[in-house]
């Protein structure tokens, strides 16, 4: 079994971006990310800390705008986004989810200019990725992180059986499309899939993004499979664990991601990649694919 080291691979992305962003600065282009947070959700605050640290490391300017839930509604949030869309010094806009229930999140997300949509959540950017890998400009950061891990470890995708467990808009659906764009035969499982193990056992590449600790056990995995665990859960001892029973599955897998230390770090690195690419798109420069 080989460990897929998210920290190591994220560092290679940071090293590349540091050089690329330093080069932009010599042309007086200073990539800037604005993060909007409504409320003080503990997990969101922790994710935002990581994102801002990554920005600092790569030379991206980051700004955090926070609102108390009672002082914001859908319309005022959309007005703020329109202001940021029109601001030429802002290259990336990220609205941290979840938003409070009284805010209509889909309308807020829709207001983000697709060129500044560094989460890759707008219909325009999601629609573009349906065309082919060449049209993937700003794609959701977590599936992009998985692709970067597979690329780093030189794991072939073309012609392989890929099984995606989880069909969310954030991870499962875009991940399935990205694997299909790279010519895998893709199966997407959801919470109503009757015999999950029958599907997962087919996988050469198994990606799991459900949010259920211990969902995937060794007997559900084919010998030699590549297993990517996107899940982040807290177990009874308060320890971070994924959706995959790591001990059990690592006896079967050829490659496996740990939690923590796998996909989470890659997501943040790929957000910075998207901020860089968004900046290039806005300056009508060609985004680098790697
Ligand atoms: N909340 C949890 N993950 C994410 C993410 O990738 N982007 C945003 N905007 N909010 C999140």
């Amino acid at each position: 079994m080989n460990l897929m080291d998210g920290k190591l691979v994220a560092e290679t992305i940071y090293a590349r971006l540091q050089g690329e962003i330093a080069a932009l600065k010599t042309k007086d282009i200073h990539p800037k990310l604005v993060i909007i947070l409504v409320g003080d959700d503990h997990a969101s605050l922790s994710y935002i800390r990581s994102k801002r640290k990554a920005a600092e490391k790569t030379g991206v300017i980051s700004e955090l705008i926070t609102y108390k839930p009672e002082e914001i509604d859908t319309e005022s949030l959309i007005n703020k986004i329109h202001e940021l869309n029109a601001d030429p010094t802002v290259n990336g806009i990220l609205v941290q989810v979840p938003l409070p229930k009284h805010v209509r999140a889909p309308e807020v997300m829709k207001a983000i200019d697709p060129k500044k949509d560094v989460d890759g959540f707008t219909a325009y950017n999601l629609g573009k990725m349906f065309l082919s890998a060449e049209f993937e400009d700003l794609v959701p950061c977590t599936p992009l992180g998985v692709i970067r891990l597979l690329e780093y470890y030189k794991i072939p995708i073309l012609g392989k059986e890929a099984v995606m467990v989880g069909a969310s808009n954030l991870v499962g659906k875009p991940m399935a499309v990205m694997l299909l764009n790279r010519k895998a035969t893709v199966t997407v499982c959801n919470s109503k899939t009757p015999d999950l193990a029958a599907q997962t056992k087919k996988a050469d590449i198994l990606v799991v993004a459900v949010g259920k600790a211990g969902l995937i056990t060794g007997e559900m995995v084919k010998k030699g499979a590549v297993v990517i665990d996107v899940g982040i859960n807290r177990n009874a001892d308060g320890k971070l664990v994924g959706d995959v029973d790591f001990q059990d599955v690592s006896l079967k897998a050829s490659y496996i991601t740990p939690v923590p230390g796998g996909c989470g770090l890659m997501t943040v690195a790929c957000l910075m990649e998207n901020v860089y690419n968004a900046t290039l798109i806005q300056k009508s420069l060609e985004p680098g694919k790697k």
Side-chain angles (χ1 to χ4, degrees):
M1 180 275 291
N2 299 288
L3 209 57
M4 299 175 95
D5 184 344
K7 187 167 165 48
L8 171 79
V9 184
E11 287 302 333
T12 68
I13 293 175
Y14 289 134
R16 164 167 63 83
L17 289 175
Q18 278 161 358
E20 287 171 334
I21 290 171
L24 279 186
K25 288 185 175 175
T26 65
K27 299 180 193 157
D28 208 23
I29 299 170
H30 302 269
K32 178 175 172 181
L33 168 67
V34 174
I35 301 173
I36 297 178
L37 172 67
V38 183
D40 58 0
D41 176 69
H42 188 76
S44 289
L45 282 167
S46 149
Y47 290 138
I48 288 172
R49 262 195 305 277
S50 313
K51 291 169 186 177
R52 297 195 75 192
K53 234 167 89 180
E56 196 180 343
K57 193 172 167 133
T58 44
V60 168
I61 302 163
S62 82
E63 184 184 325
L64 174 62
I65 301 174
T66 54
Y67 296 105
K68 293 195 173 74
E70 61 274 19
E71 72 183 9
I72 199 92
D73 58 15
T74 307
E75 285 67 31
S76 51
L77 208 47
I78 289 174
N79 285 340
K80 184 67 199 174
I81 288 168
H82 286 160
E83 194 187 296
L84 297 169
N85 284 345
D87 182 343
T89 70
V90 174
N91 304 108
I93 303 170
L94 186 153
V95 179
Q96 189 69 28
V97 292
L99 286 165
K101 286 207 166 45
H102 71 278
V103 174
R104 298 187 299 279
E107 285 178 45
V108 171
M109 293 307 186
K110 198 173 149 191
I112 299 171
D113 181 344
K115 290 190 172 70
K116 299 190 178 186
D117 168 30
V118 288
D119 261 328
F121 290 171
T122 59
Y124 178 82
N125 285 323
L126 288 170
K128 262 189 99 180
M129 67 184 283
F130 262 66
L131 301 174
S132 71
E134 279 108 84
F135 286 91
E136 293 171 4
D137 280 337
L138 299 175
V139 296
C141 306
T142 302
L144 179 60
V146 173
I147 295 292
R148 293 286 177 260
L149 276 175
L150 293 170
E151 285 170 351
Y152 182 88
Y153 288 99
K154 300 194 167 37
I155 292 162
I157 302 174
L158 186 144
K160 298 297 175 186
E161 285 281 349
V163 177
M164 178 70 231
V165 182
S168 69
N169 289 339
L170 255 75
V171 185
K173 286 191 224 170
M175 184 80 256
V177 172
M178 291 175 86
L179 290 165
L180 188 57
N181 282 346
R182 289 156 181 80
K183 297 281 183 283
T185 302
V186 184
T187 303
V188 189
C189 304
N190 62 59
S191 59
K192 301 290 186 280
T193 299
D195 184 354
L196 185 59
Q199 303 299 331
T200 57
K201 273 187 215 161
K202 298 187 305 193
D204 301 311
I205 300 170
L206 178 63
V207 185
V208 190
V210 172
K212 210 172 188 182
L215 176 68
I216 304 296
T217 57
E219 61 184 21
M220 297 168 76
V221 175
K222 182 166 81 176
K223 186 118 188 80
V226 173
V227 180
I228 314 252
D229 190 354
V230 178
I232 300 179
N233 313 289
R234 275 198 196 276
N235 70 7
D237 310 327
K239 245 183 69 183
L240 281 186
V241 294
D243 292 347
V244 173
D245 181 337
F246 184 87
Q247 296 298 350
D248 201 16
V249 173
S250 58
L251 301 173
K252 289 281 215 41
S254 59
Y255 285 88
I256 187 167
T257 58
V259 177
C263 294
L265 300 170
M266 292 301 297
T267 296
V268 179
C270 288
L271 172 65
M272 294 308 129
E273 183 171 330
N274 274 352
V275 173
Y276 172 69
N277 282 336
T279 308
L280 294 187
I281 290 166
Q282 286 155 53
K283 302 289 175 196
S284 300
L285 301 165
E286 185 66 22
K289 287 287 171 202
K290 278 196 149 195

